[in-house]
Amino acid sequence: MSTAHGARARARIEVTAAIKDEARRQLAAEGAARLSLRAVARELGMVSSALYRYFPSRDDLLTALIIDAYDSLGERAEAAHEPAADPFRRWLAVCEAVRGWALDHPHEYALIYGSPVPGYTAPDTTVPAAARVGLLLIGIARDAHRGSGLAGPSLPSELRPEAERIAADLAPDLPPEAVTALVAAWAQLYGLVGFELFGQFHRVVEDREPFFRHAVGRLARGVGLVPGPTEGAAPGR
């Protein structure tokens, strides 16, 4: 790589990062629906035509921000995951990492789990990043299933066909009962975080950390995870 080419590549990386940083600032101040390429360019001292060489449209910039947010969340969850621990403890650690990331990045959490942005449809390129936490939780259930087993509840007969379809798509090596519980737990995890982040717990739940830990412990039990011997009277018991 020539020196000039390397310098251009570094400059492009730096400008792209600056555009994203300003866009995140605008997300915090105005919300995703009001994100504007022209406003970003103006704040950076760029002409709009120059910014379009980096992001051809607002939707392209939104997609980049969404992928970055999902990846940042996934990295936090994966860093908290300890493969040597028992599955129940691993589940708690991952869920607590999700909550911690959301509290640290409320506007990015709102971008990926808040109200849809009018006129925007996320492309398939966001799926791998969006799946990181879910795949981590599926992996924890899979390890438990291969080890001591899962102690999940039975399914009502009317749900079994749908449960088998979901399992075939997401985790065919797991019992449909467990996969159905995983999907429900995934939705409830983000519901718990969203309620805390967006103020629905105000004057309802004040001591939120132990409440959250207890709640996600119950979700783990619903999936069929059983606390290891070192958990004792584990939260969610």
Side-chain angles (χ1 to χ4, degrees):
M1 180 183 293
S2 68
T3 301
H5 183 74
R8 285 195 298 271
R10 288 193 297 274
R12 184 172 184 85
I13 291 170
E14 291 170 0
V15 173
T16 300
I19 293 169
K20 289 180 178 180
D21 286 345
E22 174 57 27
R24 292 187 188 99
R25 190 195 67 77
Q26 291 193 20
L27 285 179
E30 304 287 345
R34 300 189 64 181
L35 180 65
S36 162
L37 288 183
R38 289 183 180 275
V40 171
R42 183 173 59 249
E43 291 298 322
L44 294 176
M46 299 173 65
V47 295
S48 298
S49 58
L51 191 146
Y52 291 138
R53 291 199 292 269
Y54 295 86
F55 296 100
S57 70
R58 181 209 66 159
D59 286 4
D60 291 304
L61 179 53
L62 272 175
T63 295
L65 296 176
I66 287 168
I67 291 173
D68 284 354
Y70 277 129
D71 276 334
S72 178
L73 172 59
E75 288 165 9
R76 176 77 73 91
E78 290 160 5
H81 180 242
E82 298 179 5
D86 70 78
F88 189 92
R89 189 180 296 274
R90 288 156 60 190
W91 177 281
L92 294 184
V94 169
C95 292
E96 288 172 337
V98 169
R99 174 179 179 266
W101 183 89
L103 295 177
D104 290 342
H105 303 86
H107 303 293
E108 290 172 80
Y109 186 89
L111 176 64
I112 55 178
Y113 290 114
S115 299
V117 180
Y120 173 80
T121 300
D124 289 345
T125 53
T126 61
V127 172
R132 289 174 69 166
V133 173
L135 291 175
L136 197 57
L137 296 175
I138 289 172
I140 293 170
R142 180 176 289 121
D143 287 348
H145 180 58
R146 292 172 177 170
S148 58
L150 292 168
S154 60
L155 284 173
S157 58
E158 65 269 20
L159 181 57
R160 181 160 292 279
E162 177 66 2
E164 291 176 349
R165 185 197 63 77
I166 294 171
D169 285 345
L170 297 181
D173 56 331
L174 289 177
E177 293 85 352
V179 179
T180 304
L182 277 165
V183 172
W186 170 72
Q188 291 171 77
L189 166 62
Y190 290 111
L192 285 164
V193 173
F195 262 48
E196 179 174 0
L197 201 63
F198 303 138
Q200 283 90 345
F201 280 156
H202 180 59
R203 300 183 67 179
V204 177
V205 179
E206 297 299 335
D207 198 358
R208 293 168 185 167
E209 185 172 350
F211 177 86
F212 178 83
R213 187 173 173 86
H214 171 80
V216 296
R218 291 182 65 87
L219 295 181
R221 289 178 176 277
V223 171
L225 303 179
V226 178
T230 58
E231 282 290 334
R237 200 173 185 88

